[in-house]
Amino acid sequence: MQILMTKAAHGRVAERLAKVAPDAQVVTAVDKDAYELDGRSIAAEDIDPEVVWLSLDSYASGTLGQLFGRLMKTDAPRWTQIMAAGIDNPMFRSIMEKGVRISKSSAQATPIAEYVVAHALSLQVPIAEAAALQARREWKSTPYHEVARTRWLMAGFGNIGHEIAKRIKPFGVHLTVVRRSPAAEGDLVDKVITLKEIGSALPDADVVVLALALNDETRGMCDEHFFRAMKPGAVLINIGRGGLVDEDALKAGLDRDQPGHAVLDVFQTEPLPADAWFWDHPKVRVTAHTSNSGDGNLDRGDNLFLENLRRYLAKEPLLNEADRSEVGLT
Amino acid sequence: MQILMTKAAHGRVAERLAKVAPDAQVVTAVDKDAYELDGRSIAAEDIDPEVVWLSLDSYASGTLGQLFGRLMKTDAPRWTQIMAAGIDNPMFRSIMEKGVRISKSSAQATPIAEYVVAHALSLQVPIAEAAALQARREWKSTPYHEVARTRWLMAGFGNIGHEIAKRIKPFGVHLTVVRRSPAAEGDLVDKVITLKEIGSALPDADVVVLALALNDETRGMCDEHFFRAMKPGAVLINIGRGGLVDEDALKAGLDRDQPGHAVLDVFQTEPLPADAWFWDHPKVRVTAHTSNSGDGNLDRGDNLFLENLRRYLAKEPLLNEADRSEVGLT
């Protein structure tokens, strides 16, 4: 079996890889569409990878395009481990149309969960209020509504939703999650509802987190109706996709304090244009689709690939395998 | 058995109290040193409480002084439930000298833990950096050192320390706690050390939390030596007592980036004088001994009193009972 990955990725995992798949032939991609096998150059047309690993470093180093090209040109690939968590980019549909299995990444769930909890807490515990008092040299108490007494509504309960729940539940919050099937979720969750029922949960939610994939069912779901149902002063955090939100309706909602704050990492148009209204709105925090930018992604991505390779070889279910319906295929 | 509490406190708990202690006589304190028993006035000299509850509302309403006066004047009191978590105020020594048992409050541990985690996270996840980019309308990634990859050192592991640990461990941090006896602490803690060993743990700690009582052993423990041992750029959070810190040594430390940030809720002199250097130091966050100011304290305090009353009557160990050594008695 041939596995294709970047030279840098192989450098990091070679030893562990040899234990998981001792018989694998590892082809490595270097810059300028050059490949190596066992330390020697090999022509692109001579390689025939069954597994292609689109590791995080391939995104940064510019080899992603050539790995993707191999994925599309050869007939052999049966499985690819990707670094993305969302697969609304059309390239993933092309891959699945070829019959290649895709396992998505959960590596970014950790920093995204940190982002969500850090932003929510910093809006609940009076940090900005204390800073304003400090600037005035004023020694004054800052009573506040405890995080422990807040109710959270989380739309989407995949890897990211789970990582958020793990971190926020120990604060004692009440957590309602929205997911396709209203299955029980044990101690992490107080209530599970479906997307159709979200309107009934919005009036009580102090913090609303959008951690959903973008698809025909979710596109534009945060519309005027949605914002009018929100609790005044509540916090909206979007780390899903910009397309979930009707941005004009959000602006009108903020004027009514529904929501009272919006923490937005994703937008309908990215990069956000310099003249967009979000930038200087006093109730909006803009971040540049960068909630995932923690320094632990590379390690977690390596670990995930190795575990999924073990599962692939053992014919066990892969972690985070994408369903064809996620890219609009039947 | 006679129990003395404020009229407001009795109004909140009367029904539950009647179940826990159906035979108790409840004397209630109203303003201006007036008391009531069964809805009628009763003179101060005619009351003889075995239990005195210094509830949170007594601090705010001004009846604390009169409750404390009763505690000191009558001979009967055997137990008092107080609202304070720290008992370095000399009045608590006076109470214990009379032979009255004191159970401290754990109600404030929740907001203090929220304060600590919220401030630490907001310094780790690049919230301020993103705000600066937003102000410049700049769409730019903000990579950061994940909370998950930080090491925490917590000096003190009482109620507050436990509440912090419960909330921060699910982030995946490495947690070392400093406590009197190096007992094992289960899943919440990675390592337990004693105060004498703290110097060895400081160089690796990204976040150092002071959650210790002030006594002869801890007074001034954060001195020049302590700060020189800290990891450059680390965060110091003091929610213990101002007297734990040599404030001149802290100032010199901040100049060296040891620590890189200080989040201070307590000071040697409170209220903090208007000319104190802390107010406008760019690496310092000042809050007005208000880390405990969440809105859940009253409810938790009521629940704690009722549970301790049940234990008192059942002759079971009280929650949070103070040891005579804590007020310097043997």
Side-chain angles (χ1 to χ4, degrees):
Chain A
M1 182 192 59
Q2 213 175 69
I3 309 179
L4 175 61
M5 64 186 68
T6 68
K7 194 165 180 176
H10 192 230
R12 294 194 305 273
V13 304
E15 205 171 309
R16 289 188 287 164
L17 180 68
K19 284 179 191 152
V20 174
D23 303 326
Q25 258 195 344
V26 179
V27 176
T28 60
V30 294
D31 283 340
K32 295 178 192 161
D33 214 13
Y35 298 90
E36 287 181 1
L37 174 62
D38 295 332
R40 286 179 304 180
S41 281
I42 178 171
E45 56 271 24
D46 292 338
I47 68 177
D48 199 21
E50 178 177 342
V51 171
V52 179
W53 177 22
L54 304 181
S55 59
L56 181 61
D57 59 287
S58 73
Y59 287 64
S61 68
T63 41
L64 178 66
Q66 89 189 61
L67 289 171
F68 179 67
R70 279 303 104 201
L71 203 49
M72 295 305 293
K73 274 181 201 149
T74 61
D75 289 326
R78 309 273 23 107
W79 164 51
T80 182
Q81 172 67 53
I82 66 171
M83 187 55 201
I87 53 171
D88 41 328
N89 184 315
M91 92 179 203
F92 296 119
R93 183 183 166 116
S94 310
I95 294 172
M96 289 197 103
E97 274 177 335
K98 268 180 66 85
V100 180
R101 296 167 69 185
I102 294 181
S103 47
K104 301 176 285 186
S105 174
S106 53
Q108 308 96 320
T110 292
I112 294 175
E114 293 188 0
Y115 171 101
V116 168
V117 179
H119 276 280
L121 262 57
S122 75
L123 287 168
Q124 200 74 30
V125 175
I127 293 178
E129 196 182 342
L133 289 167
Q134 179 176 349
R136 298 199 299 269
R137 295 176 177 247
E138 216 172 307
W139 182 265
K140 196 177 159 193
S141 192
T142 47
Y144 73 102
H145 184 57
E146 289 171 5
V147 178
R149 292 159 90 87
T150 55
R151 296 176 74 95
W152 285 51
L153 175 62
M154 197 152 61
F157 202 54
N159 287 315
I160 293 167
H162 275 86
E163 293 298 323
I164 296 168
K166 264 170 56 183
R167 288 163 176 77
I168 198 64
K169 272 303 288 177
F171 282 82
V173 309
H174 183 281
L175 175 60
T176 298
V177 302
V178 178
R179 60 182 312 186
R180 259 166 216 273
S181 57
E185 277 296 342
D187 291 347
L188 273 186
V189 173
D190 296 287
K191 195 174 177 189
V192 181
I193 60 174
T194 61
L195 200 52
K196 284 194 170 72
E197 301 168 294
I198 198 169
S200 65
L202 281 168
D204 290 326
D206 299 286
V207 180
V208 177
V209 180
L210 305 177
L212 280 168
L214 185 65
N215 55 45
D216 291 344
E217 199 190 1
T218 62
R219 186 170 287 107
M221 59 174 271
C222 303
D223 54 8
E224 191 195 332
H225 205 72
F226 180 100
F227 293 119
R228 284 204 182 272
M230 283 188 82
K231 182 176 183 172
V235 174
L236 176 78
I237 303 180
N238 188 6
I239 43 81
R241 284 288 186 255
L244 301 170
V245 174
D246 175 334
E247 296 180 341
D248 292 334
L250 171 59
K251 189 163 188 250
L254 288 162
D255 288 343
R256 289 190 311 268
D257 214 31
Q258 290 176 299
H261 291 276
V263 180
L264 306 171
D265 191 47
V266 287
F267 300 86
Q268 288 194 14
T269 307
E270 295 178 14
L272 191 62
D275 63 351
W277 62 268
F278 301 97
W279 290 112
D280 58 5
H281 196 290
K283 294 178 169 180
V284 173
R285 291 186 181 177
V286 171
T287 58
H289 203 141
T290 185
S291 62
N292 62 352
S293 62
D295 59 0
N297 292 332
L298 198 65
D299 286 351
R300 282 186 300 269
D302 291 353
N303 295 340
L304 177 62
F305 169 70
L306 291 167
E307 170 60 15
N308 262 345
L309 180 60
R310 186 194 68 71
R311 287 166 176 252
Y312 178 80
L313 294 170
K315 300 193 193 321
E316 292 175 15
L318 298 177
L319 295 172
N320 314 324
E321 182 164 2
D323 191 85
R324 289 170 61 86
S325 68
E326 294 179 52
V327 293
L329 297 174
T330 50
Chain B
M1 182 192 61
Q2 214 176 68
I3 309 178
L4 176 60
M5 65 188 68
T6 68
K7 194 165 179 177
H10 191 230
R12 294 193 306 274
V13 304
E15 205 171 310
R16 288 187 288 164
L17 180 68
K19 284 180 192 155
V20 174
D23 301 327
Q25 257 195 344
V26 179
V27 176
T28 60
V30 292
D31 284 339
K32 296 178 192 163
D33 214 14
Y35 297 90
E36 287 181 0
L37 174 61
D38 295 333
R40 286 179 304 180
S41 283
I42 179 171
E45 55 271 25
D46 293 337
I47 67 177
D48 199 19
E50 177 177 342
V51 171
V52 179
W53 178 22
L54 303 181
S55 59
L56 180 61
D57 58 287
S58 73
Y59 288 65
S61 68
T63 42
L64 178 66
Q66 89 188 63
L67 289 172
F68 180 67
R70 279 304 103 200
L71 204 48
M72 295 305 294
K73 274 181 203 150
T74 61
D75 290 326
R78 308 271 29 104
W79 163 52
T80 182
Q81 172 67 52
I82 66 171
M83 187 53 202
I87 53 171
D88 43 326
N89 184 316
M91 92 178 205
F92 296 118
R93 183 184 166 113
S94 312
I95 295 172
M96 290 197 104
E97 273 176 334
K98 267 180 67 84
V100 180
R101 297 167 69 185
I102 294 181
S103 48
K104 301 176 284 186
S105 176
S106 53
Q108 309 94 320
T110 292
I112 295 175
E114 293 187 1
Y115 171 100
V116 168
V117 179
H119 276 280
L121 262 56
S122 76
L123 287 168
Q124 200 74 28
V125 174
I127 293 178
E129 196 182 342
L133 289 167
Q134 179 176 349
R136 297 199 299 270
R137 294 176 178 248
E138 216 172 306
W139 183 266
K140 197 178 159 192
S141 192
T142 47
Y144 73 102
H145 185 57
E146 289 171 6
V147 178
R149 292 160 90 88
T150 54
R151 297 176 73 97
W152 285 50
L153 175 62
M154 199 152 61
F157 202 54
N159 287 316
I160 295 167
H162 275 87
E163 292 298 324
I164 297 168
K166 264 170 56 182
R167 288 162 178 77
I168 198 63
K169 273 303 288 179
F171 282 82
V173 308
H174 183 281
L175 175 60
T176 298
V177 302
V178 179
R179 59 183 311 185
R180 259 166 217 274
S181 57
E185 277 295 343
D187 291 346
L188 274 186
V189 172
D190 295 288
K191 195 174 176 188
V192 181
I193 60 174
T194 62
L195 202 52
K196 284 195 170 71
E197 301 169 292
I198 198 167
S200 66
L202 281 168
D204 290 328
D206 299 286
V207 179
V208 177
V209 180
L210 304 178
L212 279 169
L214 184 65
N215 55 44
D216 291 345
E217 198 188 2
T218 61
R219 187 169 285 107
M221 60 174 270
C222 303
D223 55 10
E224 190 194 335
H225 206 71
F226 180 100
F227 293 119
R228 285 203 183 273
M230 283 188 82
K231 181 175 182 173
V235 175
L236 177 78
I237 303 180
N238 188 5
I239 45 82
R241 285 287 185 256
L244 301 169
V245 174
D246 175 335
E247 296 181 342
D248 292 334
L250 171 59
K251 188 163 188 250
L254 287 163
D255 288 343
R256 291 191 308 270
D257 214 32
Q258 290 176 299
H261 292 276
V263 179
L264 305 172
D265 191 46
V266 288
F267 300 86
Q268 289 194 15
T269 306
E270 297 178 12
L272 192 62
D275 63 352
W277 62 267
F278 301 98
W279 290 112
D280 58 4
H281 197 291
K283 293 177 170 182
V284 174
R285 291 186 181 177
V286 171
T287 58
H289 203 140
T290 185
S291 63
N292 63 353
S293 62
D295 59 1
N297 292 332
L298 197 65
D299 286 351
R300 282 185 300 269
D302 291 352
N303 295 341
L304 177 63
F305 168 70
L306 291 168
E307 170 61 14
N308 263 344
L309 179 61
R310 186 194 67 70
R311 288 166 176 252
Y312 179 80
L313 294 171
K315 299 194 193 319
E316 292 175 16
L318 298 176
L319 295 172
N320 314 323
E321 182 164 0
D323 191 86
R324 288 170 62 85
S325 68
E326 293 179 54
V327 292
L329 298 173
T330 49

